[in-house]
Amino acid sequence: MTGKGQGGSWVPTVVQATEPGRFDASPATAIILGDINRLLRAPLAATEAEIDDALAHAAEACGADVAQFCRTMPSGQMAVSHRWSRNAISDARHPETCLAGDTHEPVIHRDPAGLPQGSRPDRLAAAGLDSVVEVPMLRDGAVVGSVVLGWRGDGNDLRSGDLDVLQSLAEAMLAAAERRESERRTAEAAKALHEDRLLLESILRTSTSAIIAFDADARIVFANDEAAAVLGAEAARLPGCTLEGVGCRLLSRDGEPLPPAAMPVWRTMAEGRTLRDMHHVLIGADGRQRILSVNAAPVAADGVNAIRVVATVNDVTGQVSADSALRTALAEAHQLAFFDPLTGLYNRRGIVEVLRDCLQTCARENACLALLYIDVDGMRQVNGTRGHWLGDRMLQAIGARLDDLRPDGGDLGRISADEFVLTCGVTHPDPASAVTAAEATAEQILRDLRRPFLVDGLSLEITASIGLAAISAEDTVEGLLKGVDLAVMAAKTAGGNRACAYRPDMEQDMVGRVALAQELREAIRHDEFRIFFEPMVRLDEMGLEVVGQEALIRWEHPVRGLLSPIAFIPFAEETGFIRDIDRWVLHAAAMELARWADDPARRDLRLSINISSAQFLSEEFGQMVREVLAETGADPARIELEVTEGTLLSNLGLARTTMMDLRSLGLSIALDDFGTGFSSLSYLRDLPVDVLKIDRSFLGGLTDSKANRTILEGIIGLASGLGVALVAEGVETPAQFAWLRAKGCRTFQGYLFGRPAPEPQLTLPPEVEALEGPGAERVASGNSKG
């Protein structure tokens, strides 16, 4: 015998395989073989006794003093399962001591002193044993049990041939023990299953809900008493029938017949998932009409008549009738309380609840979310120029586009006139990664909002300023909204049409903005603004001549001194102060122009005045210009109003109307910063523009940028072709002047000719006048190549 349960052959390690065994031609062999046969056939109840007998027979046949059958427990430790002793009383002091070692092969140890040091020699010494034989049993290469025989004195005379017999006996004992355990577990499982079935049947029979089980053909396999009552049929009629077969019909909530595919049983089998809270109208077998709430779950089963769907059905007719009006009222109240009536999105109160849920999610998952605050730029202008009705339609279109961009799991709300809040539902491990993800979402929103909106046949364009922040468990709703509001203000201050992440130092910036707003109010009230003049010169046959001035505002701050426009104009445009400032500039410049009328040196000068985009496109701007002209008596023919290219393109129709109105008063219109940011110049054909002012950015790299030179040549040619005047701004070097002169430009402005000053400059420095001479032509020739 080779011990097949070990998954391979083994070779004794102490004795030679050729030695004759104790059991060779021994009567004990027949006894052991009989034990093996009985073990393999023993009934469940007799298995323990058969193992005891087999162990005792083997020990007595070998002349052993102690025998053990050991098994590996679930804990991984080896423990005694059956034991035999020649002197049971003497060995009672070690009833549970396991003598098995960790060998994977049958071994004969003649002397315990030869064993490895450890607990096993100690155990053998404590049992008074001088030699031991161990036959392990393996399963998949692991020791699962052992048969151990021990001798006192010199009684161990076993040989290698004996190990084969003992190995077979050990395998039979293990197989019997395993069979007994398997049969015991099977019996216990069958008993538990029977008890579970009895319990389940009791639950089903006594349930207050109707419970119906269907097979693959929608025939009823089981129905409790409540199901019979709901269906209006006798319980004995239900098994084996479909609902239609017992006289029942299912309708929709509206009373329409249900097609087969919409029946709960067929839907559940088709979709393969649990369907909950399906409401249908049932016309029962008794003719009564009931409203049912149905939950149905699929059951994976084999066999033609096996259960495929289990449905739980409740009659909710009375509940629906009583609760219908209340639910409607509650739904309407909830809608009004938490949702914006214009866009259907969350309102401020709804967003507050959303943010509270976000904070709980962050605390529960130890993670971070992200919040975006989207402030639409230019809605005040849309309302002012198109009316609030069109503005509302525009807000609906913006809300719909933002909703399309809402990330999965996120929420969107409109919390004020033109301000939206978006939460991102994906969690991140830390605030930095949440902000990074929010920045990517914000860039996508900015790109999509720049696409024109078609509203009532009109193409409208807007941009947005976005503030964003990470949401963590330590935040509060109030703190989050305050933080993203500060971030929006920072984005607007930087020019708008961009996103800005919240930083803790922004609160200090907010304090500064509040202070600046108060200082601007005081500046307007105390007339702290001043007009500076920058000369414009023209080159003709007579040389260079100052022909006009550009009026530039300065703020004579009582503490900070003289401030340039960049220090306060963007903030004034954002906060609405620009209207008063524009009126002041227009009035002050017109008053100055009126004074020049009596001065022979200045009476022919033209005056160019910058106007903000919000003011230029407002409905009252034309009337304000009329009032200023009437108050000051200035000659409108010598006034040139400058507007940026972006101002006109934001609303071409209104821009053209305003420009025609101003030209009817005698004023000229100059297009400032021309050539930046727009690819189509077709609008110039339809707008009454008198002057194009080349943006100064093209002159900075004139000498080393072929692209800039090409653009400038195109603008100069365009102005000539359209028949409009051209002014080159930002001329600072003789080389720039020479190149522009060589290309045909004749009107200039920049620090080369004069810097802004409180009084208009009427003459040019000698070094500038020298540019008119013959040397200028050589300079022009030398700098126009390429």
Side-chain angles (χ1 to χ4, degrees):
M1 301 180 184
T2 59
K4 295 180 181 179
Q6 301 180 71
S9 62
W10 48 267
V11 178
T13 59
V14 176
V15 299
Q16 297 298 318
T18 57
E19 294 183 65
R22 181 187 182 94
F23 298 121
D24 291 345
S26 170
T29 304
I31 297 174
I32 293 176
L33 292 177
D35 288 337
I36 292 174
N37 184 58
R38 283 190 297 275
L39 285 169
L40 296 178
R41 298 175 180 272
L44 178 65
T47 301
E48 294 293 326
E50 293 291 348
I51 294 176
D52 285 337
D53 289 346
L55 188 63
H57 292 159
E60 290 173 347
C62 296
D65 297 304
V66 174
Q68 291 182 348
F69 175 47
C70 303
R71 296 282 307 280
T72 300
M73 299 294 105
S75 64
Q77 298 295 321
M78 190 77 75
V80 177
S81 174
H82 297 75
R83 67 192 313 275
W84 175 89
S85 174
R86 187 176 299 278
N87 187 351
I89 297 176
S90 172
D91 293 334
R93 65 183 182 274
H94 301 292
E96 301 298 334
T97 302
C98 180
L99 304 177
D102 58 357
T103 179
H104 281 56
E105 298 176 349
V107 294
I108 301 173
H109 291 291
R110 306 285 186 192
D111 184 2
L115 293 173
Q117 292 300 312
S119 61
R120 190 179 183 211
D122 296 339
R123 295 197 305 270
L124 294 176
L129 300 178
D130 296 310
S131 63
V132 65
V133 170
E134 183 175 355
V135 180
M137 293 159 281
L138 306 183
R139 291 290 184 268
D140 298 325
V143 177
V144 297
S146 289
V147 170
V148 182
L149 302 178
W151 287 263
R152 298 184 178 94
D154 299 328
N156 181 0
D157 58 353
L158 291 187
R159 296 295 181 265
S160 60
D162 301 328
L163 296 180
D164 289 341
V165 177
L166 291 177
Q167 181 71 53
S168 299
L169 177 62
E171 293 290 343
M173 294 169 68
L174 177 63
E178 289 178 340
R179 187 179 74 251
R180 182 181 184 281
E181 290 180 6
S182 176
E183 292 176 354
R184 178 179 54 79
R185 288 195 297 267
T186 301
E188 290 175 352
K191 181 181 178 182
L193 179 60
H194 178 68
E195 293 174 349
D196 289 345
R197 292 187 66 176
L198 292 177
L199 177 61
L200 177 60
E201 185 174 347
S202 174
I203 293 172
L204 294 177
R205 292 294 180 188
T206 59
S207 173
T208 58
S209 296
I211 300 176
I212 311 172
F214 298 88
D215 64 13
D217 295 320
R219 292 189 300 263
I220 297 173
V221 178
F222 170 85
N224 64 357
D225 295 338
E226 188 66 23
V230 169
L231 298 178
E234 296 179 5
R237 292 182 54 203
L238 296 178
C241 296
T242 63
L243 292 180
E244 295 80 5
V246 295
C248 296
R249 284 195 299 152
L250 274 180
L251 311 175
S252 69
R253 286 289 298 269
D254 300 326
E256 297 294 328
L258 283 178
M263 295 289 185
V265 174
W266 295 113
R267 276 190 60 196
T268 303
M269 286 192 288
E271 299 182 22
R273 62 184 180 90
T274 300
L275 303 178
R276 303 183 185 278
D277 250 358
M278 295 177 285
H279 286 78
H280 298 291
V281 176
L282 171 76
I283 300 178
D286 56 2
R288 291 183 56 188
Q289 184 171 297
R290 300 172 175 86
I291 299 176
L292 304 182
S293 174
V294 182
N295 296 327
V299 178
D302 297 324
V304 176
N305 297 318
I307 296 174
R308 293 299 179 89
V309 175
V310 175
T312 303
V313 182
N314 289 287
D315 183 353
V316 295
T317 307
Q319 178 184 345
V320 170
S321 300
D323 293 349
S324 179
L326 177 60
R327 285 203 304 272
T328 301
L330 289 175
E332 291 176 352
H334 182 269
Q335 186 72 20
L336 290 174
F338 294 98
F339 292 88
D340 171 40
L342 179 64
T343 61
L345 304 173
Y346 282 113
N347 59 15
R348 176 176 285 272
R349 184 175 176 185
I351 283 295
V352 167
E353 294 302 317
V354 167
L355 290 177
R356 287 174 179 164
D357 290 342
C358 290
L359 292 174
Q360 292 178 1
T361 299
C362 293
R364 183 174 60 253
E365 301 185 13
N366 191 26
C368 294
L369 295 169
L371 173 66
L372 285 80
Y373 195 100
I374 305 161
D375 190 338
V376 179
D377 302 326
M379 278 307 302
R380 182 183 304 174
Q381 181 177 318
V382 172
N383 289 328
T385 58
R386 299 291 187 180
H388 285 276
W389 181 82
L390 187 67
D392 287 346
R393 296 292 303 277
M394 183 69 171
L395 287 171
Q396 290 173 334
I398 294 171
R401 188 173 293 183
L402 288 175
D403 197 41
D404 290 339
L405 298 171
R406 176 170 51 87
D408 291 340
D411 289 294
L412 177 66
R414 173 179 173 246
I415 63 172
S416 67
D418 55 1
E419 296 172 347
F420 297 81
V421 166
L422 175 66
T423 62
C424 300
V426 178
T427 57
H428 298 274
D430 52 72
S433 56
V435 168
T436 300
E439 288 173 338
T441 301
E443 289 302 321
Q444 182 182 1
I445 290 173
L446 291 173
R447 286 195 302 270
D448 276 48
L449 288 183
R450 282 194 290 267
R451 291 189 291 110
F453 289 84
L454 188 63
V455 180
D456 291 346
L458 296 174
S459 180
L460 303 175
E461 297 182 5
I462 57 98
T463 59
S465 300
I466 301 179
L468 53 94
I471 305 174
S472 61
E474 296 75 20
D475 290 317
T476 64
V477 172
E478 295 77 10
L480 286 169
L481 291 176
K482 180 180 179 182
V484 290
D485 194 22
L486 291 173
V488 164
M489 291 182 183
K492 284 184 171 293
T493 301
N497 190 27
R498 69 193 63 213
C500 184
Y502 168 74
R503 302 186 314 276
D505 60 355
M506 286 180 175
E507 191 161 356
Q508 186 60 39
D509 293 343
M510 181 61 183
V511 173
R513 289 169 61 83
V514 172
L516 180 58
Q518 181 60 34
E519 291 174 348
L520 275 176
R521 292 189 187 93
E522 295 296 321
I524 295 170
R525 185 179 300 117
H526 297 126
D527 198 22
E528 295 176 357
F529 299 112
R530 301 290 180 264
I531 292 291
F532 274 50
F533 301 94
E534 182 177 341
M536 287 187 289
V537 301
R538 180 181 295 133
L539 178 65
D540 55 20
E541 293 81 0
M542 302 299 296
L544 287 171
E545 177 186 9
V546 177
V547 294
Q549 304 285 331
E550 180 175 354
L552 303 171
I553 188 172
R554 297 290 187 270
W555 180 6
E556 194 171 350
H557 194 280
V559 176
R560 299 163 60 191
L562 199 64
L563 302 180
S564 66
I566 194 63
F568 60 93
I569 289 298
F571 178 78
E573 290 178 334
E574 177 187 338
T575 55
F577 288 109
I578 195 63
R579 182 183 183 280
D580 293 329
I581 293 175
D582 273 347
R583 182 179 179 86
W584 183 92
V585 171
L586 187 62
H587 190 276
M591 284 290 292
E592 187 71 18
L593 186 64
R595 285 194 293 269
W596 293 353
D598 298 327
D599 183 351
R602 304 180 184 184
R603 66 177 57 168
D604 295 326
L605 293 176
R606 296 181 59 80
L607 189 59
S608 183
I609 307 170
N610 287 283
I611 301 297
S612 69
S613 59
Q615 189 74 343
F616 187 81
L617 294 178
S618 65
E619 293 180 345
E620 64 271 13
F621 181 62
Q623 180 59 33
M624 185 181 76
V625 172
R626 287 179 171 83
E627 292 173 359
V628 168
L629 292 176
E631 293 169 4
T632 61
D635 181 4
R638 291 195 291 130
I639 296 178
E640 182 179 279
L641 297 182
E642 290 190 21
V643 292
T644 62
E645 188 177 16
T647 298
L648 304 183
L649 292 180
S650 64
N651 193 330
L652 282 174
L654 181 59
R656 188 176 192 281
T657 301
T658 302
M659 293 168 72
M660 295 297 292
D661 183 32
L662 295 173
R663 290 187 75 181
S664 70
L665 299 177
L667 289 84
S668 300
I669 307 297
L671 196 54
D672 197 14
D673 299 338
F674 183 74
T676 57
F678 299 96
S679 59
S680 174
L681 301 176
S682 59
Y683 66 90
L684 289 176
R685 296 175 302 183
D686 303 318
L687 295 179
V689 175
D690 300 293
V691 180
L692 297 181
K693 301 192 75 172
I694 300 174
D695 186 75
R696 66 182 65 245
S697 62
F698 293 115
L699 297 181
L702 182 61
T703 59
D704 55 2
S705 173
K706 183 177 180 180
N708 279 6
R709 294 194 297 271
T710 301
I711 293 173
L712 284 172
E713 289 172 352
I715 294 174
I716 293 170
L718 177 66
S720 176
L722 293 173
V724 299
L726 184 69
V727 178
E729 289 188 292
V731 180
E732 297 183 357
T733 67
Q736 292 171 346
F737 168 73
W739 189 91
L740 291 165
R741 174 182 179 180
K743 296 300 180 181
C745 187
R746 290 296 176 262
T747 306
F748 311 91
Q749 184 179 340
Y751 290 173
L752 178 64
F753 311 103
R755 292 177 176 269
E759 294 294 328
Q761 176 182 323
L762 301 179
T763 60
L764 297 173
E767 62 271 17
V768 174
E769 290 183 345
L771 297 176
E772 308 169 15
E777 293 296 336
R778 291 193 298 273
V779 173
S781 174
N783 287 277
S784 61
K785 293 179 181 180

